[in-house]
Amino acid sequence: MSFIAIAAACLAVGAALSLVLPNNRSRAAASIASQLIAMVLVERVALPALLHGLDLRAVMPWSYPSENIAAHLDSLGAFFLAWSLPMTALGTIYAVDYLRPYEATRNAGVQYALLNVTALSFLMIYTLETATAFLLGWEIAAVAAWLLVIWDYRNQRIRFAGFNYLVSTHVGFFFLVAAFMVLHSRTGSMDFGAFGSALRTPGTLRNATFLLLVTSFGLKSAFFPFHTWLPRAHSAAPAHVSALMSGVIHKAGLFGLLRFTLLLGEPEPWMGWYLISFSALSAVMGVLYTTAQRDLKRMLGYSSTENVGIAGIGFGLGYLGLAWHQPALVVLGFTGGILHILNHAVFKCLLFYAAGAVYRATHTIDLERLGGLAKRMPWTAGLFLLGGLAISALPPFNGFVSEFLIYAGLLNGAVPPGLERALLISLAAGLAFVGGISALATVRAFGVTFLGTPKDASVHVSGDAPASMRLSMLVHGGGVLALGLAPAFAIRLVEQPVREFAALLRGPSVAATPPVEVIQPVVWAGALLIGAVALLLAVRWMLTRSAPVRQHVTWGCGYAAPSPRMQYTGASFSSRFVAVFESVLIYLERKKLPEGPFPEANSHVNKHCVDAVERRMFEVLGEGESVANRLYERVSVAPTYSLGLGLAVLVVVISLVATAGGIP
């Protein structure tokens, strides 16, 4: 554990240097160098723990509010640490060229320092098991992410997005504090080990704590309907911040869910069904919104809500496996869910980096204005397509591997016959529906942005992504291929964490089929398909390499004078599909129609898909203020209402304290 302490000190020094050095280049160098050193130190500890299941513990004396701070690195924490720090370092490298246009006018040192602080918070969250220290790391990550989002604070839209994120993350923080207070009232300790003894005792307290924890971690990871901060923050933040928030930072919520699942022990079946329902709703609603967004980064933000839902379905399946004593469901559910966290981080960072390259080159990410970028930005186009294929869960890319394992669990013969099996088979069909819509959203985003011809003459393309941005995208693209083409390697990375969950099974159990054997036939089929395509391309090249190149005008389908306005836009591409879900996807329309037989004024029609949850929430808040005012007026003038309200609050407080064991 001493290596992790040294890494934390190194990150702190790098953050300080980023603030005090004289120019942006030296600040970037200090940040990157300190992160790379910290990464090597952490991997020195995390990789053995991840691959061999080592369990490292340390206790640091502390004075207040707890006597000691417990540090614990098991394979689950090592799994998250193993890729969080390298991805943060890649994001910092990406930022060097992304922020270069602001080099003369802005001090980027704050950005680099905050990226170091974010990496430091990962060390705290993934290793500390004293509640107060854990909450401190949780809060540091939240505030650092907020400051990163509002870097361009002079824009009011960005300030509002940051405020929205800050409020949401602190609402989640309050739920987490409430859960810890309940556990402390039962155990008299702030140590996670003591929490485990309380959480494993069935009863109302356990159920209530589970709901508090799921709500808090759901807010952190942007599950539906707690997701409203996510698309706004991703749209407003710099591209490398959006990538790290979606790929790395908000994964802390999923880590918290998994960590407390280990403390929970054997769950009850309703917990598994609750988690599956919560996650399935998130996956469906998240992917529906991806089809209606005209902002490329906002679309990717909704896609994150979809993908945490897919990972949550895997966890829910693992919960059911533990409750039903079915090792096959435990292994397939947790393997698929945990691996999907890593896969999502890899391809989502790639997609955000590509979107950032588009913004840097064109100064817009509005799908209605983009088009024909593939010829001007071939590297970005190719890598965006690679990430899009992975997020659509198409073989042989990494998104397919994790989703296939979840499918294998949902359709596994270990599921009890009857209603349970019918529900999980229906869920598999729903997951296929989500995959289909995700593919539609990917085709729409790639086709409208990179294919065709430019739509807006005012959009000028400065060129493809510079070196540091391209390097980060290439590394993530390599990760997409490596995890997809070598699923045995990918599954090996999550094997030890999954063993920790399988160890929660009580009583005799039947050995489960290893996930590698489940997916291996599909991998072989994919390899044969790739080989066949490569062979056909090679034969075609050999037959046509000496033939003269013939050039023709593209067939215009009868149009004698095609123009860029005849192309599909983002809205027209998905309009037929969106019309089916018009009761869910709310549009705001602003229009000025032509008037008179010879209209002189310009006319326009603008439609924006708005978030239904956010819109309803603000409506309720607006009405809620008037309701509160009316209630306050009645309470202040009528003593009867004041007395009744006071008694009601007193009864609730006494009930909570008595239930938590606070009264002997």
Side-chain angles (χ1 to χ4, degrees), residues 203-214:
T204 306
L205 184 66
R206 183 199 203 208
N207 297 340
T209 308
F210 172 77
L211 293 176
L212 286 172
L213 291 170
V214 171

Side-chain angles (χ1 to χ4, degrees), residues 1-2 29 39 45 88 105 128 215 220 250 280 287 289 294 306 414 424 434 448 470 507 537 556 643 650 657:
M1 300 296 282
S2 58
M39 183 186 76
V45 183
T88 307
T105 57
L128 298 182
T215 305
K220 186 71 173 180
H250 89 322
V287 77
Y289 275 105
R294 57 182 293 174
E306 170 212 343
L424 292 186
V434 169
V448 171
R470 194 180 300 176
L537 291 175
L643 182 61
L650 187 61
V657 174

Side-chain angles (χ1 to χ4, degrees), residues 199-486:
L199 282 171
R200 294 183 186 220
T201 305
T204 306
L205 184 66
R206 183 199 203 208
N207 297 340
T209 308
F210 172 77
L211 293 176
L212 286 172
L213 291 170
V214 171
T215 305
S216 173
F217 298 139
L219 274 158
K220 186 71 173 180
S221 295
F223 278 81
F224 185 90
F226 307 132
H227 67 287
T228 55
W229 63 268
L230 186 114
R232 280 190 181 277
H234 286 344
S235 176
H240 58 283
V241 177
S242 300
L244 293 178
M245 284 185 73
S246 182
V248 186
I249 296 174
H250 89 322
K251 295 296 188 297
L254 297 175
F255 167 79
L257 181 61
L258 292 170
R259 170 62 69 206
F260 279 86
T261 298
L262 289 175
L263 299 177
L264 193 69
E266 185 178 297
E268 295 165 43
W270 75 266
M271 295 178 178
W273 288 115
Y274 176 77
L275 199 54
I276 283 179
S277 306
F278 191 42
S279 303
L281 180 65
S282 184
V284 172
M285 295 305 299
V287 77
L288 282 179
Y289 275 105
T290 62
T291 61
Q293 304 303 313
R294 57 182 293 174
D295 183 305
L296 186 57
K297 288 173 66 183
R298 192 177 171 89
M299 186 206 84
L300 295 175
Y302 278 112
S303 170
S304 293
T305 295
E306 170 212 343
N307 279 280
V308 294
I310 292 172
I313 290 173
F315 301 159
L317 183 65
Y319 268 57
L320 291 179
L322 289 170
W324 293 337
H325 300 277
Q326 293 293 343
L329 302 185
V330 176
V331 171
L332 291 172
F334 283 113
T335 302
I338 297 174
L339 186 56
H340 198 71
I341 294 174
L342 174 60
N343 286 338
H344 177 248
V346 173
F347 61 64
K348 186 51 67 68
C349 285
L350 172 60
L351 289 168
F352 269 117
Y353 290 152
V358 169
Y359 179 77
R360 191 181 185 279
T362 64
H363 299 287
T364 183
I365 45 174
D366 186 350
L367 293 179
E368 306 303 302
R369 299 180 62 199
L370 295 172
L373 293 182
K375 292 180 181 176
R376 302 293 301 275
M377 306 179 67
W379 281 97
T380 302
L383 290 166
F384 186 93
L385 180 60
L386 180 61
L389 293 171
I391 202 172
S392 302
L394 294 176
F397 306 103
N398 65 337
F400 168 78
V401 177
S402 48
E403 289 201 33
F404 182 84
L405 293 173
I406 296 174
Y407 278 114
L410 295 173
L411 302 174
N412 196 279
V415 177
L419 181 61
E420 290 86 355
R421 183 170 294 181
L423 288 174
L424 292 186
I425 290 175
S426 303
L427 182 61
L431 193 56
F433 172 73
V434 169
I437 302 175
S438 179
L440 168 69
T442 298
V443 171
R444 171 178 175 268
F446 179 78
V448 171
T449 304
F450 294 101
L451 303 183
T453 57
K455 298 188 190 73
D456 190 338
S458 66
V459 175
H460 301 285
V461 184
S462 61
D464 212 335
S468 81
M469 296 169 63
R470 194 180 300 176
L471 173 65
S472 298
M473 288 193 288
L474 285 171
V475 172
H476 280 275
V480 167
L481 293 174
L483 295 173
L485 295 173

Side-chain angles (χ1 to χ4, degrees), residues 47-92:
L47 288 180
L50 174 61
L51 298 176
H52 305 296
L54 301 182
D55 198 69
L56 307 175
R57 293 180 183 273
V59 177
M60 294 175 285
W62 204 258
S63 59
Y64 183 82
S66 57
E67 295 180 354
N68 298 304
I69 293 179
H72 178 207
L73 183 67
D74 59 357
S75 58
L76 180 63
F79 169 74
F80 280 86
L81 272 183
W83 49 268
S84 294
L85 265 66
M87 287 191 185
T88 307
L90 279 172
T92 310

